[in-house]
Structures are given as C-alpha cells and as structure tokens.
Amino acid sequence: MLKPFSALLILLAPSTLLAQTMSIKTTEGLVTTGSTTLFAFNKELKQLERIDLLSAQNSQLVLPDNAIGFDVATLANTNDKQALVVASDGIYKADKEKPSLLFAYTSVINQLEVTEFEKINFIIDANKDGLSDILLPDLNQTTLYIQTNNGQFTPHTFEKKTQFTGDFSKDGLTLEVDINNQPTITDFNHDGLNDLVFLNKQGADVLYANTNGYNKAMADVNFNIELGELSNGEKRKIKQLLDINNDGYLDFITKQYKPVEGMDSLDIDIAHNLYLGNKTGFSQTPIKLLNTSGPSQLVFETDFNNDGLIDLQTMDLDIGLGTIASMAMGGGKTDVDVEMNIYKQQTDGSFASKSSIEIDLEMEINMSNGDATPPLYIGDINGDDKTDAVYKYSKKTLYVYYGEEDNLLNKKRKKIKLTLPKKSKDILLVDINQDGKKDFVFKFTEEDGTSKIKTRLN
C-alpha cells in the first residue's frame, strides 16, 4: 500500500519538517542505500518496507517463503535500489505484489533454519561496473554470481573454505557460517582487472580475475611479515585491508597484543602498524600508529577534507568496573564516555602528531548484542565538498562541526535545536533533494510500535 505525501520534497523550503507513517512496526534502524531510497525491516515478523524520501512514498514488500535475509542491490534496467532476498530455495527480488525469482542456488544455506529475518551482506560490485553481484558461500567453495548488462547472473564457483564458528553443548555441536565475509575489491596484481581479497584468520587470500572471469582457486597473499602467535607470546593479526592513500596499491593495518582473559581485556594494550603497498608488494618499514587500550579503537573510514587521503579517528572508550556494574543494574545497557580525536593523513602516509580536533561523545553500549555506535553522523551538510560531523548532544540538540581544508573540522560548533529520536541509530544523513547537501532523516517510534519518518532539508 502506497502512502504519498501531499507535496514533493523538492518544492519545500529548507528546514521544513515532514512526517510519513511507516507501514510496518520495527525497532530496527533504517537501512541506507546511498540514494533517496531506504529500507525498514521487522526481523521477528519477517517484514520488509521500501521508503522513497524523494517521492515521499512507502510500501510494504512481499517476501518469498522461507526468507532468510536481505541486502540492497543495483539491478540492470532499473532506476531505483532494490531489495534482494536470500530464501532457502533461491535469490528473489522483493516487490509490492509478489517476489520475483532471480535464480535458484545450491549451498549449505539451503539447509538453514532461521527464526529471524536479518539484513545480511551478500551483495558486492565485484568488477566495479555499477551493477550488483552476489556472493554465496558453501562448505568448501563459494559462488560469485556476476550480473550482466541484461540483468542475468552468471555463476563462477571457486575454492574457498567458509569460516565457521561453533560451540559444543549437551545437545551436540552447533555451527555458525559466516556469510558476511566480504572481500576487498582491488586490482591487486595491476593487470587492469579487479581481484577479490579475502581476510582470514591466518592472513588473506586473493581470487585473481582473468579475461574469462576468475581463477578456480585462490592464492595466498604474501604480507612479508610474521602473523599469528609470535615468539614473545604476543599475537599479530591483519586488522584491515584498504587503499589508505588512494595510490592504487592495497595497504594493510596490523594489530599486535598479548592475549589476556576476562576483565583484563579492559586494559589490554594493542599496538597498530600501517604497511603501505607498492609495485613490488608491501613496504618492509611500517608506519607506527597510535596504541590503543582495551575497547578503544582506531577508525579509518573518512576523508574529511576531500584530498583523497583517509584520515585517522581515535575512539577512546571509558569502560571500567563501574561501567560493568552499571550495565548489570541497567538491564545490560549503559552510557559510556567516548573521546574522539581526528588526525590528518600526511602525503607520506603517516598521520599528524597532533589531533585536529577533540570531540567528547556519549554512547550507549549493550551487553547483549554488542551494538555500540557513537551518535556521530558524517556527511557534507552545507554543500562545500568537505565532510562535516554532526553529534547528537541531547534529546533536543545537535551540534554541527563544519569541515575545513587544513584543520579537517572547525572547532566552533553550530547548535541545532530539534526534537530528536531516542535512539542514535534512528538519525540519518541523506541527500533527499539531490542538491549536494545531506539532509536529516529521523525515525520516531511510538509506544504501540508505529514509526514515523520525519525529514529536515538543509
């Protein structure tokens, strides 16, 4: 059922707030798509809804029987983002009237019994042609379905042992399959074709592309360093693969630590190093990054000043025994203080010794699901091609830190007074009217479970 607004958003003045009632009830966060289309889902009732912010219409989608989960895709000959659904018998495109079967598949997934409908990651753009491809694992192999220009999917199966985790109990062995093991897509051997690099517990493997598709087997990636358990009792792992300096070569970041157990993990010291890629492989001289302690993190995601270089964010979490006690008394939830610093990347791949800005945040952590996302939203909200940071300070206040070329973010913040959703995950930045500025999208949920989408144009 469509629920249109009385006017198009593109005709509205900035700062106008509009509300749209959703078709389904859900406490889950909205799923963004990089467009004006959003998706909402109820995992217990196995419901899925499509929301178009530009036309201000939303509709519940019909799912196939035995639906397991969904992901967002770009399909040939379609203008809008689509929801593809993994079911026990095939891959479907969800629609308002009935789901359309794209293809059937044979995999261990056929035998899964699930009680909840989840957002899962099985869509990639393997060859970077703008069309979505599908990656499905099996026990000893994985199949990549490449989408052609006419919307068909061509399978390519290659040897890859799926990563499992498991637990023994009095009832036997329970195994979990990792369907979210997505590769880093890069031209690893610089032959003009995009390859797939998969992280694993020992390091990484690469599936090389060729003129006919892909190789049948993967090859080990030689990082030229010792990984795993070291002679001094510490462990070294690959933390992240990325092209951090945008030079076309894959780089990697390691973390090294001495294993501890129990509460000692709150104080564990972790050393981080960056190894830059080059035409012969990887640099033998790492760039030493900041150390972290316990749950604190280094984040490499954002190029704040649009210079092509990914900058460093540090997230220092204040978690101690008092925090654990608060979680126990608060039903497994509590708020923690987070100190975020941003360091500008230099032209040699290192990072500035001094933070460009320090922002004090507060976020909720949940013992049951590990959901710990700071109430910080990144995007260009004033259209100057620089990344801004928006922080939910209170239930009625947003602080905006505007992007700058040299300092990354202006330390002078702007205050915006609005009634805001209770949960930080219910705030999004989306360019609704396609003017180059991110707009605010809020999801408010009533006591009866009914949700409304409210938008504010910048």
Side-chain angles (χ1 to χ4, degrees):
M1 176 181 179
L2 292 179
K3 297 187 177 181
F5 277 134
S6 59
L8 289 177
L9 291 175
I10 55 176
L11 300 178
L12 297 174
S15 301
T16 300
L17 278 170
L18 288 178
Q20 180 179 5
T21 302
M22 291 173 51
S23 300
I24 67 174
K25 296 180 179 181
T26 178
T27 59
E28 301 297 323
L30 297 171
V31 177
T32 58
T33 66
S35 72
T36 60
T37 299
L38 306 177
F39 290 96
F41 68 102
N42 184 310
K43 59 184 181 181
E44 289 84 9
L45 298 179
K46 292 191 175 183
Q47 295 175 332
L48 182 63
E49 179 174 352
R50 175 191 176 90
I51 302 163
D52 191 317
L53 298 174
L54 184 59
S55 65
Q57 294 181 334
N58 59 297
S59 57
Q60 185 172 345
L61 304 178
V62 180
L63 301 179
D65 295 334
N66 302 316
I68 296 171
F70 79 101
D71 204 354
V72 177
T74 299
L75 298 182
N77 305 316
T78 60
N79 296 323
D80 302 320
K81 297 291 185 178
Q82 304 294 321
L84 299 192
V85 178
V86 175
S88 59
D89 63 336
I91 303 296
Y92 290 80
K93 180 172 77 73
D95 215 332
K96 292 180 293 184
E97 302 299 331
K98 64 177 183 178
S100 302
L101 177 65
L102 298 181
F103 59 85
Y105 67 90
T106 301
S107 164
V108 66
I109 302 174
N110 299 123
Q111 305 173 40
L112 293 181
E113 293 184 8
V114 297
T115 57
E116 294 183 338
F117 179 70
E118 298 279 3
K119 165 65 175 68
I120 55 180
N121 298 323
F122 60 92
I123 300 293
I124 65 173
D125 184 2
N127 50 9
K128 296 187 178 181
D129 63 351
L131 298 176
S132 295
D133 310 305
I134 296 173
L135 193 67
L136 296 178
D138 207 343
L139 294 177
N140 293 306
Q141 61 188 25
T142 292
T143 301
L144 172 64
Y145 296 85
I146 296 292
Q147 185 180 174
T148 62
N149 290 331
N150 62 3
Q152 301 299 309
F153 287 85
T154 302
H156 176 85
T157 300
F158 58 96
E159 296 178 4
K160 180 181 182 297
K161 291 185 177 180
T162 302
Q163 296 189 36
F164 291 91
T165 57
D167 293 298
F168 282 98
S169 67
K170 63 180 181 180
D171 298 321
L173 173 63
T174 300
L175 290 176
E176 294 184 2
V177 58
D178 182 6
I179 196 175
N180 291 318
N181 184 18
Q182 290 201 313
T184 299
I185 303 170
T186 182
D187 183 3
F188 189 66
N189 57 355
H190 297 277
D191 62 353
L193 302 173
N194 287 299
D195 311 305
L196 308 182
V197 184
F198 294 86
L199 274 178
N200 58 47
K201 294 180 179 180
Q202 291 75 38
D205 298 308
V206 56
L207 179 69
Y208 287 112
N210 57 50
T211 54
N212 296 318
Y214 294 87
N215 293 351
K216 286 290 186 181
M218 296 196 297
D220 292 334
V221 175
N222 182 10
F223 292 106
N224 291 317
I225 62 169
E226 185 180 2
L227 296 171
E229 188 169 346
L230 308 179
S231 58
N232 62 359
E234 295 184 343
K235 285 189 176 181
R236 182 190 290 143
K237 296 182 178 181
I238 304 294
K239 176 181 182 290
Q240 189 174 356
L241 299 171
L242 74 169
D243 183 3
I244 200 167
N245 54 359
N246 198 30
D247 64 352
Y249 294 101
L250 187 67
D251 314 307
F252 69 94
I253 297 168
T254 63
K255 63 178 183 179
Q256 185 171 328
Y257 57 94
K258 186 174 183 179
V260 296
E261 295 181 355
M263 299 297 292
D264 289 339
S265 62
L266 295 176
D267 298 317
I268 186 173
D269 292 321
I270 304 176
H272 305 267
N273 285 297
L274 166 64
Y275 293 79
L276 296 177
N278 53 46
K279 61 182 179 181
T280 61
F282 299 99
S283 171
Q284 297 299 295
T285 305
I287 295 173
K288 183 175 176 56
L289 303 174
L290 296 172
N291 289 358
T292 59
S293 178
S296 298
Q297 303 174 30
L298 302 185
V299 179
F300 301 91
E301 291 181 350
T302 305
D303 173 10
F304 281 91
N305 59 349
N306 203 26
D307 63 354
L309 306 176
I310 297 177
D311 303 302
L312 165 62
Q313 296 168 249
T314 63
M315 309 291 286
D316 293 320
L317 280 68
D318 183 13
I319 297 180
L321 294 177
T323 306
I324 304 300
S326 296
M327 293 178 70
M329 293 185 293
K333 300 179 181 179
T334 191
D335 292 330
V336 298
D337 294 325
V338 181
E339 180 184 291
M340 187 187 80
N341 284 273
I342 304 177
Y343 298 83
K344 182 179 180 181
Q345 186 182 161
Q346 310 298 303
T347 55
D348 64 352
S350 64
F351 294 87
S353 58
K354 184 179 179 181
S355 167
S356 296
I357 188 172
E358 177 184 312
I359 302 177
D360 293 322
L361 310 172
E362 186 177 79
M363 73 178 185
E364 182 183 84
I365 58 175
N366 192 328
M367 186 183 299
S368 62
N369 59 19
D371 185 13
T373 303
L376 188 74
Y377 315 97
I378 302 297
D380 181 6
I381 67 171
N382 59 354
D384 64 353
D385 290 327
K386 296 180 180 61
T387 300
D388 311 310
V390 181
Y391 166 47
K392 180 188 175 186
Y393 175 72
S394 68
K395 61 183 180 181
K396 289 189 176 182
T397 302
L398 292 174
Y399 283 145
V400 179
Y401 298 85
Y402 288 106
E404 290 187 345
E405 177 66 30
D406 296 325
N407 295 323
L408 302 185
L409 291 177
N410 192 323
K411 295 181 180 180
K412 293 183 179 180
R413 62 196 183 193
K414 176 184 177 181
K415 181 187 294 185
I416 299 177
K417 301 293 289 185
L418 288 170
T419 299
L420 301 171
K422 181 178 180 181
K423 296 182 179 180
S424 299
K425 66 181 180 181
D426 290 332
I427 300 176
L428 301 173
L429 295 180
V430 179
D431 185 2
I432 299 173
N433 55 354
Q434 302 296 286
D435 64 351
K437 296 185 290 185
K438 297 286 188 180
D439 307 301
F440 292 110
V441 178
F442 308 114
K443 180 170 80 75
F444 294 90
T445 302
E446 307 294 337
E447 290 186 3
D448 65 354
T450 302
S451 294
K452 289 185 177 181
I453 306 295
K454 293 186 178 182
T455 58
R456 180 187 187 274
L457 301 182
N458 287 318

